Amino acid sequence: MDTPEIRYQCQRCGACCRWPGEVVLSDAEIRAMAAHLGQSEHAFIQTRTALRRTRSGLTLAQKADGSCTLLDGGDCIVHEAKPAQCRAFPNTWRFPGWRQLCEATPERATEPPAE
Ligand code: SF4
Protein backbone atom coordinates (compact mmCIF):
# COMPACT_ATOMS: atom_id res chain seq x y z
CA MET A 1 0.00 0.00 0.00
CA ASP A 2 1.32 3.46 -0.91
CA THR A 3 2.03 5.91 1.88
CA PRO A 4 0.01 9.10 1.27
CA GLU A 5 2.26 11.94 0.25
CA ILE A 6 2.49 14.71 2.81
CA ARG A 7 2.65 18.26 1.54
CA TYR A 8 3.37 21.27 3.70
CA GLN A 9 1.12 24.30 3.50
CA CYS A 10 3.02 27.57 4.01
CA GLN A 11 1.67 29.74 6.83
CA ARG A 12 3.69 32.79 5.68
CA CYS A 13 5.57 33.08 8.97
CA GLY A 14 8.60 34.42 7.06
CA ALA A 15 11.16 32.24 8.83
CA CYS A 16 12.62 30.86 5.59
CA CYS A 17 12.94 34.43 4.31
CA ARG A 18 15.27 35.15 7.22
CA TRP A 19 17.43 32.11 6.58
CA PRO A 20 20.71 33.23 4.96
CA GLY A 21 21.39 31.68 1.58
CA GLU A 22 21.11 32.19 -2.14
CA VAL A 23 17.88 32.26 -4.13
CA VAL A 24 18.81 31.44 -7.70
CA LEU A 25 16.92 33.66 -10.14
CA SER A 26 15.96 33.13 -13.75
CA ASP A 27 15.44 36.01 -16.18
CA ALA A 28 11.70 35.28 -16.20
CA GLU A 29 11.55 35.43 -12.39
CA ILE A 30 13.37 38.75 -12.35
CA ARG A 31 10.92 40.09 -14.96
CA ALA A 32 7.94 38.87 -12.93
CA MET A 33 9.15 40.36 -9.63
CA ALA A 34 10.07 43.68 -11.26
CA ALA A 35 6.64 43.89 -12.91
CA HIS A 36 4.95 43.02 -9.62
CA LEU A 37 6.74 45.91 -7.92
CA GLY A 38 6.18 48.28 -10.85
CA GLN A 39 9.93 48.59 -11.41
CA SER A 40 12.03 48.23 -14.52
CA GLU A 41 14.12 45.07 -14.68
CA HIS A 42 17.23 47.25 -14.55
CA ALA A 43 16.08 48.97 -11.35
CA PHE A 44 15.12 45.65 -9.78
CA ILE A 45 18.49 44.13 -10.61
CA GLN A 46 20.32 47.16 -9.25
CA THR A 47 18.41 47.35 -5.98
CA ARG A 48 17.20 43.81 -5.19
CA THR A 49 19.79 41.37 -6.48
CA ALA A 50 23.42 40.43 -5.95
CA LEU A 51 25.94 38.37 -7.87
CA ARG A 52 26.00 34.74 -6.78
CA ARG A 53 29.12 33.48 -5.02
CA THR A 54 29.90 31.42 -8.12
CA ARG A 55 29.52 34.59 -10.26
CA SER A 56 27.28 32.52 -12.51
CA GLY A 57 24.07 34.48 -12.08
CA LEU A 58 22.01 36.58 -9.72
CA THR A 59 20.50 35.90 -6.31
CA LEU A 60 18.15 37.97 -4.21
CA ALA A 61 20.05 40.51 -2.13
CA GLN A 62 20.12 40.15 1.64
CA LYS A 63 19.79 42.71 4.36
CA ALA A 64 22.59 43.08 6.93
CA ASP A 65 20.89 40.51 9.18
CA GLY A 66 20.80 37.94 6.38
CA SER A 67 17.09 38.25 5.70
CA CYS A 68 15.74 38.64 2.17
CA THR A 69 15.62 42.12 0.68
CA LEU A 70 11.98 41.46 -0.26
CA LEU A 71 10.85 40.76 3.30
CA ASP A 72 8.93 43.71 4.73
CA GLY A 73 8.16 43.13 8.38
CA GLY A 74 6.88 39.57 8.25
CA ASP A 75 5.65 39.65 4.70
CA CYS A 76 7.12 38.90 1.29
CA ILE A 77 6.39 41.88 -0.95
CA VAL A 78 6.46 39.71 -4.10
CA HIS A 79 4.53 36.75 -2.68
CA GLU A 80 2.37 36.35 -5.80
CA ALA A 81 5.44 36.55 -8.05
CA LYS A 82 8.06 34.89 -5.87
CA PRO A 83 10.72 32.65 -7.43
CA ALA A 84 10.34 28.89 -7.83
CA GLN A 85 12.97 28.21 -5.16
CA CYS A 86 10.88 30.08 -2.59
CA ARG A 87 7.66 28.37 -3.70
CA ALA A 88 9.27 24.95 -3.46
CA PHE A 89 10.27 25.21 0.21
CA PRO A 90 9.68 23.07 2.25
CA ASN A 91 8.08 20.55 -0.10
CA THR A 92 10.91 19.86 -2.51
CA TRP A 93 13.94 21.17 -0.61
CA ARG A 94 14.73 21.88 3.04
CA PHE A 95 17.63 23.10 5.14
CA PRO A 96 18.89 21.39 8.29
CA GLY A 97 16.70 22.21 11.29
CA TRP A 98 13.93 23.58 9.06
CA ARG A 99 11.14 22.03 11.12
CA GLN A 100 12.12 23.95 14.24
CA LEU A 101 11.65 27.23 12.31
CA CYS A 102 9.01 26.62 9.67
CA GLU A 103 5.35 26.83 10.66
CA ALA A 104 4.04 25.10 7.52
CA THR A 105 1.31 22.61 8.32
CA PRO A 106 1.46 19.04 6.98
CA GLU A 107 -1.45 17.87 4.87
CA ARG A 108 -2.12 14.80 2.79
CA ALA A 109 -1.49 15.72 -0.82
CA THR A 110 -4.61 15.17 -2.88
CA GLU A 111 -4.38 18.43 -4.78
CA PRO A 112 -1.60 20.92 -5.44
CA PRO A 113 -1.06 23.22 -2.43
CA ALA A 114 -2.77 26.60 -2.55
CA GLU A 115 -0.49 29.62 -2.83
S1 SF4 B 1 9.20 29.11 7.09
FE1 SF4 B 1 7.61 27.71 6.32
S2 SF4 B 1 5.63 28.57 6.97
FE2 SF4 B 1 7.21 30.14 7.21
S3 SF4 B 1 7.13 31.34 5.31
FE3 SF4 B 1 8.70 29.77 5.01
S4 SF4 B 1 7.62 28.01 4.11
FE4 SF4 B 1 6.06 29.38 4.95
Side-chain angles (χ1 to χ4, degrees):
M1 192 172 86
D2 288 341
T3 305
E5 185 187 353
I6 299 295
R7 290 197 63 90
Y8 290 91
Q9 183 70 45
C10 174
Q11 301 300 308
R12 299 186 69 172
C13 72
C16 59
C17 316
R18 297 184 185 89
W19 188 266
E22 292 191 337
V23 177
V24 182
L25 302 174
S26 70
D27 290 348
E29 289 172 335
I30 289 171
R31 262 195 305 281
M33 289 186 284
H36 187 78
L37 295 176
Q39 282 186 305
S40 68
E41 286 177 54
H42 179 76
F44 184 87
I45 289 168
Q46 292 296 320
T47 58
R48 301 294 190 171
T49 71
L51 192 61
R52 292 187 63 200
R53 284 189 296 269
T54 58
R55 298 177 183 267
S56 62
L58 296 176
T59 178
L60 287 173
Q62 294 179 355
K63 298 176 189 168
D65 65 0
S67 64
C68 178
T69 181
L70 299 171
L71 187 67
D72 182 17
D75 214 24
C76 171
I77 61 173
V78 296
H79 178 72
E80 296 82 0
K82 67 186 179 183
Q85 184 177 321
C86 303
R87 288 183 193 284
F89 180 82
N91 284 301
T92 60
W93 69 274
R94 297 164 187 166
F95 49 74
W98 73 280
R99 204 63 188 111
Q100 281 70 53
L101 297 170
C102 173
E103 295 181 12
T105 52
E107 298 174 352
R108 286 188 181 181
T110 53
E111 295 175 8
E115 291 297 321

